[in-house]
Amino acid sequence: MASRIAQWVRPEIRALSAYHVPDPGRLIKLDAMENPYTLPEDLVEGWLDALRGVDMNRYPDPGARIIKERLRRVMGVPAGQEILLGNGSDELIQILAMAVGGAGRTILAPEPGFVMYRMIATFVGMEYVGVPVSPADFSLDAEVMLAAIEAHQPALVFLAYPNNPTGNLWDRQALEAIIEAAPGLVVVDEAYAPFADDSFLPDLGRWDNLLVMRTVSKMGLAGLRLGYLCGPADWLAEFDKLRLPYNINILTQASAAFALDHHEVFDAQAAQIRAARAALDAGLRALDGLTVYPSAANFILFRAPAGRATALFESLKRDGVLIKNLSASGGMLEDCLRVTVGTPEENAAFLAALGRALAGA
Ligand SMILES: *Cc1c(COP(=O)(O)O)cnc(C)c1O
């Protein structure tokens, strides 16, 4: 079997390791940018009623029209711009890559950035170019980006805004210059839009190569798997050919429609998370020896004293808190840890555990 696998599975796929998701067990889960709040009790009945009306024996609406209509209204997608839905925005990244992929085609993104851009480039046999950001503050170096775009002529540029795992918003002028210089598509990935003060959604239509991608995951519906890509109808019509016919299942369609009808609940949760982020940022800054990076998302990246990140991560785990250890990925993220903003109680438990870990040599 091994030799057959070696013969037939592409070498770049054999070289990959599967995306690892740790089992949180009973730990306080602050590793995956989930919203800590569930649907409020008084809405659960209404949601279950919506699900009771679902015909599970039938295929879902292939166009998921109700969701698109709700998203357009609730999120303020500009008139004249279309929407394409994915099973999470991860699937949208895959669809985009499949549409433009091929020999010699390149995906380009700032680095450190969202790992799926690189992984999906590999899946579809594209080149991936990670362009280093400024090491001091993870800001975008516009000149370096523009030179890389000129050199590599990427089919796709991904700009996570705010960026994951660093949490910062890029300079808007730099992004606009990149959109203007890019020979292909520029996708502004706004997975963290509920926690940020700027967006390119209102800018759709200003450039014919700009798309904005979002997801309901970080706003509190990660379990539904629903991402949406907004932009010019002509581009999205091409991508829609690659979408598997029923990619948004019927339970997701019913649940997301219900949730979007009650979006004020999620807006209020996002406001709570933003307030908790400010408190968590202050709490981290009050601890000795950490470098804390400003965040416009629902997580905070911080740098541990040199050589101690993994020990701190393990100590937190023993103390009941799971965060993300980015130190192992090396480079600019050496010594870095990332914590998701949880409830005020969870954040306090994390800060107390981190304080103990830092004190314990
Ligand atoms: C979490 C995340 C996504 C993936 O979102 P899903 O809709 O859950 O697939 C996309 N982009 C960035 C930058 C993210 O951090």
PDB file of all heavy atoms in Angstrom, residues 181-208:
ATOM      1  N   ALA A 181      -2.780  47.954  -7.798  1.00  0.00           N
ATOM      2  CA  ALA A 181      -1.611  47.381  -8.475  1.00  0.00           C
ATOM      3  C   ALA A 181      -1.811  45.916  -8.863  1.00  0.00           C
ATOM      4  O   ALA A 181      -1.134  45.428  -9.771  1.00  0.00           O
ATOM      5  CB  ALA A 181      -0.385  47.495  -7.560  1.00  0.00           C
ATOM      6  N   ALA A 182      -2.720  45.204  -8.181  1.00  0.00           N
ATOM      7  CA  ALA A 182      -2.835  43.754  -8.396  1.00  0.00           C
ATOM      8  C   ALA A 182      -3.355  43.449  -9.794  1.00  0.00           C
ATOM      9  O   ALA A 182      -4.332  44.049 -10.233  1.00  0.00           O
ATOM     10  CB  ALA A 182      -3.759  43.149  -7.347  1.00  0.00           C
ATOM     11  N   PRO A 183      -2.705  42.495 -10.476  1.00  0.00           N
ATOM     12  CA  PRO A 183      -3.177  42.130 -11.815  1.00  0.00           C
ATOM     13  C   PRO A 183      -4.443  41.266 -11.765  1.00  0.00           C
ATOM     14  O   PRO A 183      -5.188  41.212 -12.730  1.00  0.00           O
ATOM     15  CB  PRO A 183      -2.012  41.318 -12.384  1.00  0.00           C
ATOM     16  CG  PRO A 183      -1.341  40.732 -11.185  1.00  0.00           C
ATOM     17  CD  PRO A 183      -1.499  41.750 -10.089  1.00  0.00           C
ATOM     18  N   GLY A 184      -4.654  40.581 -10.631  1.00  0.00           N
ATOM     19  CA  GLY A 184      -5.799  39.673 -10.505  1.00  0.00           C
ATOM     20  C   GLY A 184      -6.749  40.140  -9.421  1.00  0.00           C
ATOM     21  O   GLY A 184      -6.936  41.336  -9.210  1.00  0.00           O
ATOM     22  N   LEU A 185      -7.314  39.157  -8.721  1.00  0.00           N
ATOM     23  CA  LEU A 185      -8.302  39.467  -7.687  1.00  0.00           C
ATOM     24  C   LEU A 185      -7.640  39.806  -6.363  1.00  0.00           C
ATOM     25  O   LEU A 185      -6.617  39.221  -6.003  1.00  0.00           O
ATOM     26  CB  LEU A 185      -9.180  38.234  -7.456  1.00  0.00           C
ATOM     27  CG  LEU A 185     -10.375  38.041  -8.374  1.00  0.00           C
ATOM     28  CD1 LEU A 185     -10.986  36.668  -8.102  1.00  0.00           C
ATOM     29  CD2 LEU A 185     -11.413  39.134  -8.154  1.00  0.00           C
ATOM     30  N   VAL A 186      -8.262  40.716  -5.622  1.00  0.00           N
ATOM     31  CA  VAL A 186      -7.874  40.985  -4.239  1.00  0.00           C
ATOM     32  C   VAL A 186      -9.076  40.671  -3.358  1.00  0.00           C
ATOM     33  O   VAL A 186     -10.166  41.223  -3.565  1.00  0.00           O
ATOM     34  CB  VAL A 186      -7.437  42.445  -4.041  1.00  0.00           C
ATOM     35  CG1 VAL A 186      -7.133  42.715  -2.569  1.00  0.00           C
ATOM     36  CG2 VAL A 186      -6.219  42.749  -4.915  1.00  0.00           C
ATOM     37  N   VAL A 187      -8.881  39.747  -2.414  1.00  0.00           N
ATOM     38  CA  VAL A 187      -9.954  39.366  -1.513  1.00  0.00           C
ATOM     39  C   VAL A 187      -9.642  39.927  -0.129  1.00  0.00           C
ATOM     40  O   VAL A 187      -8.652  39.554   0.490  1.00  0.00           O
ATOM     41  CB  VAL A 187     -10.099  37.833  -1.425  1.00  0.00           C
ATOM     42  CG1 VAL A 187     -11.243  37.452  -0.489  1.00  0.00           C
ATOM     43  CG2 VAL A 187     -10.313  37.243  -2.811  1.00  0.00           C
ATOM     44  N   VAL A 188     -10.455  40.855   0.326  1.00  0.00           N
ATOM     45  CA  VAL A 188     -10.314  41.357   1.690  1.00  0.00           C
ATOM     46  C   VAL A 188     -11.149  40.441   2.581  1.00  0.00           C
ATOM     47  O   VAL A 188     -12.364  40.341   2.421  1.00  0.00           O
ATOM     48  CB  VAL A 188     -10.756  42.836   1.797  1.00  0.00           C
ATOM     49  CG1 VAL A 188     -10.666  43.312   3.238  1.00  0.00           C
ATOM     50  CG2 VAL A 188      -9.882  43.714   0.891  1.00  0.00           C
ATOM     51  N   ASP A 189     -10.453  39.725   3.470  1.00  0.00           N
ATOM     52  CA  ASP A 189     -11.078  38.695   4.306  1.00  0.00           C
ATOM     53  C   ASP A 189     -11.450  39.339   5.645  1.00  0.00           C
ATOM     54  O   ASP A 189     -10.589  39.588   6.485  1.00  0.00           O
ATOM     55  CB  ASP A 189     -10.071  37.546   4.480  1.00  0.00           C
ATOM     56  CG  ASP A 189     -10.592  36.420   5.365  1.00  0.00           C
ATOM     57  OD1 ASP A 189     -11.643  36.577   6.013  1.00  0.00           O
ATOM     58  OD2 ASP A 189      -9.917  35.363   5.399  1.00  0.00           O
ATOM     59  N   GLU A 190     -12.735  39.589   5.810  1.00  0.00           N
ATOM     60  CA  GLU A 190     -13.207  40.297   7.005  1.00  0.00           C
ATOM     61  C   GLU A 190     -13.890  39.348   7.986  1.00  0.00           C
ATOM     62  O   GLU A 190     -15.001  39.608   8.465  1.00  0.00           O
ATOM     63  CB  GLU A 190     -14.136  41.438   6.593  1.00  0.00           C
ATOM     64  CG  GLU A 190     -13.419  42.485   5.742  1.00  0.00           C
ATOM     65  CD  GLU A 190     -14.246  43.747   5.480  1.00  0.00           C
ATOM     66  OE1 GLU A 190     -15.465  43.748   5.767  1.00  0.00           O
ATOM     67  OE2 GLU A 190     -13.659  44.718   4.978  1.00  0.00           O
ATOM     68  N   ALA A 191     -13.214  38.254   8.306  1.00  0.00           N
ATOM     69  CA  ALA A 191     -13.775  37.284   9.254  1.00  0.00           C
ATOM     70  C   ALA A 191     -14.066  37.936  10.608  1.00  0.00           C
ATOM     71  O   ALA A 191     -14.977  37.529  11.316  1.00  0.00           O
ATOM     72  CB  ALA A 191     -12.801  36.118   9.428  1.00  0.00           C
ATOM     73  N   TYR A 192     -13.300  38.975  10.943  1.00  0.00           N
ATOM     74  CA  TYR A 192     -13.430  39.605  12.268  1.00  0.00           C
ATOM     75  C   TYR A 192     -14.177  40.931  12.219  1.00  0.00           C
ATOM     76  O   TYR A 192     -14.069  41.745  13.139  1.00  0.00           O
ATOM     77  CB  TYR A 192     -12.041  39.754  12.914  1.00  0.00           C
ATOM     78  CG  TYR A 192     -11.406  38.399  13.077  1.00  0.00           C
ATOM     79  CD1 TYR A 192     -10.491  37.915  12.147  1.00  0.00           C
ATOM     80  CD2 TYR A 192     -11.797  37.563  14.115  1.00  0.00           C
ATOM     81  CE1 TYR A 192      -9.969  36.640  12.255  1.00  0.00           C
ATOM     82  CE2 TYR A 192     -11.280  36.287  14.233  1.00  0.00           C
ATOM     83  CZ  TYR A 192     -10.370  35.836  13.296  1.00  0.00           C
ATOM     84  OH  TYR A 192      -9.870  34.565  13.409  1.00  0.00           O
ATOM     85  N   ALA A 193     -14.950  41.129  11.161  1.00  0.00           N
ATOM     86  CA  ALA A 193     -15.686  42.386  10.983  1.00  0.00           C
ATOM     87  C   ALA A 193     -16.494  42.816  12.216  1.00  0.00           C
ATOM     88  O   ALA A 193     -16.535  44.015  12.515  1.00  0.00           O
ATOM     89  CB  ALA A 193     -16.601  42.291   9.763  1.00  0.00           C
ATOM     90  N   PRO A 194     -17.128  41.883  12.961  1.00  0.00           N
ATOM     91  CA  PRO A 194     -17.946  42.347  14.099  1.00  0.00           C
ATOM     92  C   PRO A 194     -17.135  43.080  15.174  1.00  0.00           C
ATOM     93  O   PRO A 194     -17.714  43.776  15.999  1.00  0.00           O
ATOM     94  CB  PRO A 194     -18.540  41.056  14.676  1.00  0.00           C
ATOM     95  CG  PRO A 194     -18.459  40.054  13.578  1.00  0.00           C
ATOM     96  CD  PRO A 194     -17.251  40.429  12.775  1.00  0.00           C
ATOM     97  N   PHE A 195     -15.811  42.924  15.142  1.00  0.00           N
ATOM     98  CA  PHE A 195     -14.985  43.487  16.212  1.00  0.00           C
ATOM     99  C   PHE A 195     -14.112  44.633  15.728  1.00  0.00           C
ATOM    100  O   PHE A 195     -13.279  45.143  16.477  1.00  0.00           O
ATOM    101  CB  PHE A 195     -14.110  42.384  16.819  1.00  0.00           C
ATOM    102  CG  PHE A 195     -14.878  41.106  17.050  1.00  0.00           C
ATOM    103  CD1 PHE A 195     -14.732  40.017  16.202  1.00  0.00           C
ATOM    104  CD2 PHE A 195     -15.795  41.027  18.091  1.00  0.00           C
ATOM    105  CE1 PHE A 195     -15.467  38.857  16.388  1.00  0.00           C
ATOM    106  CE2 PHE A 195     -16.542  39.868  18.286  1.00  0.00           C
ATOM    107  CZ  PHE A 195     -16.375  38.784  17.432  1.00  0.00           C
ATOM    108  N   ALA A 196     -14.263  45.023  14.476  1.00  0.00           N
ATOM    109  CA  ALA A 196     -13.393  46.031  13.872  1.00  0.00           C
ATOM    110  C   ALA A 196     -14.197  47.278  13.505  1.00  0.00           C
ATOM    111  O   ALA A 196     -15.413  47.221  13.350  1.00  0.00           O
ATOM    112  CB  ALA A 196     -12.714  45.456  12.631  1.00  0.00           C
ATOM    113  N   ASP A 197     -13.493  48.389  13.347  1.00  0.00           N
ATOM    114  CA  ASP A 197     -14.161  49.658  13.051  1.00  0.00           C
ATOM    115  C   ASP A 197     -14.078  50.049  11.589  1.00  0.00           C
ATOM    116  O   ASP A 197     -14.506  51.137  11.232  1.00  0.00           O
ATOM    117  CB  ASP A 197     -13.545  50.783  13.908  1.00  0.00           C
ATOM    118  CG  ASP A 197     -13.948  50.639  15.367  1.00  0.00           C
ATOM    119  OD1 ASP A 197     -15.079  50.171  15.621  1.00  0.00           O
ATOM    120  OD2 ASP A 197     -13.121  50.959  16.244  1.00  0.00           O
ATOM    121  N   ASP A 198     -13.476  49.209  10.762  1.00  0.00           N
ATOM    122  CA  ASP A 198     -13.414  49.570   9.352  1.00  0.00           C
ATOM    123  C   ASP A 198     -13.768  48.343   8.514  1.00  0.00           C
ATOM    124  O   ASP A 198     -13.665  47.205   8.986  1.00  0.00           O
ATOM    125  CB  ASP A 198     -12.010  50.077   8.974  1.00  0.00           C
ATOM    126  CG  ASP A 198     -12.007  50.757   7.603  1.00  0.00           C
ATOM    127  OD1 ASP A 198     -13.054  51.334   7.226  1.00  0.00           O
ATOM    128  OD2 ASP A 198     -10.986  50.700   6.902  1.00  0.00           O
ATOM    129  N   SER A 199     -14.208  48.593   7.289  1.00  0.00           N
ATOM    130  CA  SER A 199     -14.598  47.516   6.384  1.00  0.00           C
ATOM    131  C   SER A 199     -14.474  47.992   4.951  1.00  0.00           C
ATOM    132  O   SER A 199     -14.628  49.185   4.671  1.00  0.00           O
ATOM    133  CB  SER A 199     -16.056  47.124   6.655  1.00  0.00           C
ATOM    134  OG  SER A 199     -16.539  46.303   5.603  1.00  0.00           O
ATOM    135  N   PHE A 200     -14.212  47.036   4.063  1.00  0.00           N
ATOM    136  CA  PHE A 200     -14.200  47.355   2.627  1.00  0.00           C
ATOM    137  C   PHE A 200     -15.530  47.008   1.956  1.00  0.00           C
ATOM    138  O   PHE A 200     -15.661  47.180   0.744  1.00  0.00           O
ATOM    139  CB  PHE A 200     -13.034  46.647   1.928  1.00  0.00           C
ATOM    140  CG  PHE A 200     -11.749  47.432   2.030  1.00  0.00           C
ATOM    141  CD1 PHE A 200     -11.025  47.458   3.216  1.00  0.00           C
ATOM    142  CD2 PHE A 200     -11.281  48.186   0.956  1.00  0.00           C
ATOM    143  CE1 PHE A 200      -9.855  48.206   3.323  1.00  0.00           C
ATOM    144  CE2 PHE A 200     -10.107  48.935   1.052  1.00  0.00           C
ATOM    145  CZ  PHE A 200      -9.398  48.950   2.243  1.00  0.00           C
ATOM    146  N   LEU A 201     -16.500  46.542   2.734  1.00  0.00           N
ATOM    147  CA  LEU A 201     -17.793  46.215   2.126  1.00  0.00           C
ATOM    148  C   LEU A 201     -18.398  47.434   1.396  1.00  0.00           C
ATOM    149  O   LEU A 201     -18.837  47.306   0.250  1.00  0.00           O
ATOM    150  CB  LEU A 201     -18.745  45.671   3.209  1.00  0.00           C
ATOM    151  CG  LEU A 201     -19.883  44.780   2.737  1.00  0.00           C
ATOM    152  CD1 LEU A 201     -19.383  43.559   1.978  1.00  0.00           C
ATOM    153  CD2 LEU A 201     -20.738  44.330   3.919  1.00  0.00           C
ATOM    154  N   PRO A 202     -18.391  48.625   2.038  1.00  0.00           N
ATOM    155  CA  PRO A 202     -18.951  49.790   1.329  1.00  0.00           C
ATOM    156  C   PRO A 202     -18.121  50.190   0.101  1.00  0.00           C
ATOM    157  O   PRO A 202     -18.606  50.963  -0.730  1.00  0.00           O
ATOM    158  CB  PRO A 202     -18.905  50.912   2.375  1.00  0.00           C
ATOM    159  CG  PRO A 202     -18.729  50.229   3.688  1.00  0.00           C
ATOM    160  CD  PRO A 202     -17.979  48.972   3.410  1.00  0.00           C
ATOM    161  N   ASP A 203     -16.891  49.684  -0.010  1.00  0.00           N
ATOM    162  CA  ASP A 203     -16.023  50.042  -1.134  1.00  0.00           C
ATOM    163  C   ASP A 203     -16.243  49.158  -2.358  1.00  0.00           C
ATOM    164  O   ASP A 203     -15.632  49.399  -3.412  1.00  0.00           O
ATOM    165  CB  ASP A 203     -14.550  49.940  -0.719  1.00  0.00           C
ATOM    166  CG  ASP A 203     -14.212  50.933   0.369  1.00  0.00           C
ATOM    167  OD1 ASP A 203     -13.966  52.089   0.046  1.00  0.00           O
ATOM    168  OD2 ASP A 203     -14.226  50.545   1.554  1.00  0.00           O
ATOM    169  N   LEU A 204     -17.056  48.108  -2.193  1.00  0.00           N
ATOM    170  CA  LEU A 204     -17.292  47.215  -3.332  1.00  0.00           C
ATOM    171  C   LEU A 204     -17.853  48.021  -4.496  1.00  0.00           C
ATOM    172  O   LEU A 204     -18.740  48.851  -4.310  1.00  0.00           O
ATOM    173  CB  LEU A 204     -18.267  46.100  -2.955  1.00  0.00           C
ATOM    174  CG  LEU A 204     -17.677  44.962  -2.125  1.00  0.00           C
ATOM    175  CD1 LEU A 204     -18.783  43.992  -1.699  1.00  0.00           C
ATOM    176  CD2 LEU A 204     -16.586  44.224  -2.891  1.00  0.00           C
ATOM    177  N   GLY A 205     -17.318  47.741  -5.680  1.00  0.00           N
ATOM    178  CA  GLY A 205     -17.757  48.471  -6.859  1.00  0.00           C
ATOM    179  C   GLY A 205     -16.766  49.562  -7.261  1.00  0.00           C
ATOM    180  O   GLY A 205     -16.759  50.011  -8.403  1.00  0.00           O
ATOM    181  N   ARG A 206     -15.905  49.973  -6.319  1.00  0.00           N
ATOM    182  CA  ARG A 206     -14.903  50.998  -6.672  1.00  0.00           C
ATOM    183  C   ARG A 206     -13.820  50.419  -7.571  1.00  0.00           C
ATOM    184  O   ARG A 206     -13.202  51.142  -8.345  1.00  0.00           O
ATOM    185  CB  ARG A 206     -14.235  51.547  -5.406  1.00  0.00           C
ATOM    186  CG  ARG A 206     -15.065  52.586  -4.672  1.00  0.00           C
ATOM    187  CD  ARG A 206     -14.365  53.057  -3.398  1.00  0.00           C
ATOM    188  NE  ARG A 206     -13.153  53.819  -3.639  1.00  0.00           N
ATOM    189  CZ  ARG A 206     -12.262  54.096  -2.686  1.00  0.00           C
ATOM    190  NH1 ARG A 206     -12.456  53.682  -1.436  1.00  0.00           N
ATOM    191  NH2 ARG A 206     -11.183  54.793  -2.967  1.00  0.00           N
ATOM    192  N   TRP A 207     -13.542  49.130  -7.416  1.00  0.00           N
ATOM    193  CA  TRP A 207     -12.535  48.457  -8.247  1.00  0.00           C
ATOM    194  C   TRP A 207     -13.151  47.177  -8.793  1.00  0.00           C
ATOM    195  O   TRP A 207     -13.896  46.495  -8.076  1.00  0.00           O
ATOM    196  CB  TRP A 207     -11.298  48.099  -7.411  1.00  0.00           C
ATOM    197  CG  TRP A 207     -10.593  49.274  -6.831  1.00  0.00           C
ATOM    198  CD1 TRP A 207      -9.685  50.081  -7.464  1.00  0.00           C
ATOM    199  CD2 TRP A 207     -10.698  49.780  -5.485  1.00  0.00           C
ATOM    200  NE1 TRP A 207      -9.217  51.048  -6.594  1.00  0.00           N
ATOM    201  CE2 TRP A 207      -9.827  50.882  -5.379  1.00  0.00           C
ATOM    202  CE3 TRP A 207     -11.446  49.405  -4.365  1.00  0.00           C
ATOM    203  CZ2 TRP A 207      -9.690  51.619  -4.207  1.00  0.00           C
ATOM    204  CZ3 TRP A 207     -11.310  50.131  -3.192  1.00  0.00           C
ATOM    205  CH2 TRP A 207     -10.436  51.235  -3.127  1.00  0.00           C
ATOM    206  N   ASP A 208     -12.837  46.799  -9.992  1.00  0.00           N
ATOM    207  CA  ASP A 208     -13.477  45.603 -10.558  1.00  0.00           C
ATOM    208  C   ASP A 208     -12.793  44.316 -10.100  1.00  0.00           C
ATOM    209  O   ASP A 208     -13.239  43.222 -10.444  1.00  0.00           O
ATOM    210  CB  ASP A 208     -13.576  45.687 -12.088  1.00  0.00           C
ATOM    211  CG  ASP A 208     -12.221  45.596 -12.777  1.00  0.00           C
ATOM    212  OD1 ASP A 208     -11.194  45.411 -12.071  1.00  0.00           O
ATOM    213  OD2 ASP A 208     -12.179  45.714 -14.004  1.00  0.00           O
TER     214      ASP A 208
END
